[in-house]
Amino acid sequence: MKPATRSRPGTTEPGLTGIARVERRTRALLPRLRPGDVAVLDHLDMDRATAQALVDAGVSAVLNAAPMISGRFPNLGPQVLAEAGILVLDNVEGAFGIADGAPVRVYDEVVFADGAAVAMGREVDAHVVDHEMALARAGLGSQLETFTHNSTEFLRREEALLLHGLGLPETSTRIADRPVVVVAAGKASRRRLASIEAFIREQQPVLVGVDGGADLLLDAGHRPDIVVLSNAAPDAERPSAKSLRAARDVVVRVDGGGRLHAEQLERLGVRPLPLESSATSEDTALLLLEAENARLIVGVGLHARLEEVLDRQNPGLAGTYLTRLKVGHLLVDASSVHLLYSGRVRPRHLFLVLVAGLLALAVAVAVTPVGQEWLTGLTDYLQGLSR
């Protein structure tokens, strides 16, 4: 640890300053953050979604009482913060001795409040992230064993849904033999959705928003046909009332043995379709579409890579790769659409080709003796009309 450095009186004190926002639960902290704040939290192995939320909130620093990378698996959150240039300290001793709302200064791995050192930790910069991520990848084998065990348990619990499609609700939206675009909230989802605008415009697919993905569809000028959300999702992760009202069908995933909280939806005039499952909202949406015989599924912001699945730190996600096996013959990531789909041929495209062909033919004829004779005759004719 670097020693704390005192500044001479009358000089500007070095380091980064901001207002401390203190909360052990990251989910409760995020709505309180403002640009320039110093986030003080307790979040072991920070995932990418949480880190991106901190970046989007505009925090200047993150003080984590827990390790950013424990080594259990290569979590993606620290890399997001490092790339955004946000100062990060982890294993911060005395983090929760910092008063909520107090001005603080962070310098040389020490946190100061009212001129006194109140906490200290370890700076997690890009070099630390690269080194510890490499170590975490080396120990990934044990995590895969746990992942495989959890997947077996998921198959045992969800056999009827996964293999036979039992328990899936009947939607009013026709899905059979139609292409589908499934949008989930993510770092690049807005950009990926814009990249397939031509596909959506020309193919008129069924549009499915998963949790916050419904708002992305609406913001892009598209009405979601189906919205799939989790019954237990916090308000910050749920679609807006406008998106829910716009959808033809709203499917609510309820954990096994749980009770559907339909009151809020019914007050919006929305009739929810319950689906009992321990699978994620993304996976239940994919299973529903496969069971309804969708012709093609284009995924926007879906978590498909192994590191992304492990990064989300939820044992229920072990069912994700089983779901991918079930729908793999239909599923295409949005990033690949431009490689597979060049767009529909429009009448104006044929007209331009015809015009170009006629011009090429005219030039070819004009250089022949017969063409020269025609051109001379045409010139004489036009001169005679102008007299």
Side-chain angles (χ1 to χ4, degrees):
M1 178 168 304
K2 300 176 183 178
T5 303
R6 292 185 177 274
S7 300
R8 294 180 180 178
T11 63
T12 301
E13 294 182 313
L16 182 148
T17 60
I19 301 300
R21 304 297 178 190
V22 184
E23 175 63 61
R24 287 186 181 274
R25 297 169 302 148
T26 311
R27 186 170 288 177
L29 175 65
L30 290 173
R32 300 173 49 211
L33 294 172
R34 298 294 180 268
D37 284 349
V38 175
V40 183
L41 43 78
D42 186 358
H43 195 128
L44 178 67
D45 291 328
M46 184 172 290
D47 58 281
R48 186 175 71 175
T50 300
Q52 187 60 47
L54 291 168
V55 173
D56 294 342
V59 299
S60 59
V62 175
L63 309 182
N64 192 353
M68 293 296 291
I69 305 173
S70 70
R72 296 181 302 162
F73 58 90
N75 55 302
L76 306 177
Q79 185 174 352
V80 171
L81 295 174
E83 290 175 352
I86 293 175
L87 174 64
V88 177
L89 300 186
D90 75 348
N91 291 311
V92 178
E93 299 176 14
F96 295 101
I98 301 172
D100 185 45
V104 296
R105 179 172 62 92
V106 184
Y107 179 63
D108 274 358
E109 301 184 334
V110 179
V111 185
F112 298 88
D114 293 328
V118 294
M120 60 184 64
R122 179 193 64 155
E123 183 174 352
V124 182
D125 58 16
H127 296 295
V128 172
V129 171
D130 290 344
H131 175 69
E132 296 200 351
M133 286 284 280
L135 294 177
R137 290 189 185 96
L140 196 57
S142 60
Q143 293 300 313
L144 289 176
E145 291 181 10
T146 302
F147 186 70
T148 303
H149 173 74
N150 290 338
S151 298
T152 303
E153 288 298 307
F154 175 85
L155 181 59
R156 181 183 59 80
R157 291 194 310 269
E158 304 288 348
E159 178 182 353
L161 171 64
L162 187 65
L163 301 183
H164 310 294
L166 299 181
L168 292 170
E170 184 176 347
T171 62
S172 60
T173 303
R174 185 179 67 83
I175 298 172
D177 298 320
R178 294 180 63 189
V180 182
V181 173
V182 181
V183 181
K187 180 180 179 181
S189 294
R190 194 178 301 275
R191 175 169 50 83
R192 292 279 171 79
L193 181 60
S195 72
I196 61 170
E197 181 65 34
F199 177 84
I200 294 175
R201 182 178 61 252
E202 296 171 1
Q203 296 299 316
Q204 297 293 307
V206 177
L207 299 177
V208 180
V210 177
D211 295 323
D215 292 338
L216 293 180
L217 279 169
L218 207 62
D219 291 344
H222 304 295
R223 174 187 175 184
D225 296 297
I226 302 173
V227 173
V228 180
L229 67 147
S230 173
N231 187 53
D235 291 342
E237 297 178 10
R238 295 170 73 92
S240 66
K242 187 176 181 181
S243 297
L244 292 171
R245 290 195 187 100
R248 293 186 177 91
D249 298 289
V250 176
V251 178
V252 182
R253 185 195 67 79
V254 183
D255 289 324
R259 185 178 69 87
L260 174 64
H261 303 297
E263 300 82 3
Q264 183 178 1
L265 294 174
E266 291 173 349
R267 284 197 297 269
L268 297 175
V270 175
R271 183 178 66 87
L273 302 174
L275 193 166
E276 186 173 313
S277 175
S278 61
T280 66
S281 299
E282 290 179 15
D283 294 341
T284 51
L286 294 176
L287 291 172
L288 172 64
L289 297 171
E290 193 275 338
E292 291 292 336
N293 298 312
R295 178 159 55 90
L296 171 73
I297 303 173
V298 176
V300 179
L302 301 186
H303 298 81
R305 293 190 300 135
L306 178 61
E307 285 188 356
E308 290 179 317
V309 172
L310 292 176
D311 180 58
R312 297 168 76 196
Q313 306 180 45
N314 186 336
L317 290 168
T320 295
Y321 93 84
L322 291 175
T323 300
R324 294 300 190 273
L325 289 176
K326 179 74 172 178
V327 305
H329 62 295
L330 301 174
L331 185 60
V332 176
D333 191 78
S335 61
S336 302
V337 169
H338 74 282
L339 300 174
L340 305 173
Y341 180 78
S342 58
R344 179 183 297 166
V345 177
R346 296 178 175 275
R348 67 171 180 269
H349 299 155
L350 297 176
F351 176 74
L352 290 174
V353 172
L354 177 62
V355 170
L358 291 174
L359 287 174
L361 178 62
V363 171
V365 171
V367 299
T368 64
V370 175
Q372 292 289 335
E373 184 179 342
W374 288 355
L375 185 60
T376 301
L378 179 61
T379 302
D380 294 341
Y381 175 74
L382 293 176
Q383 289 176 348
L385 290 178
S386 62
R387 289 172 184 169

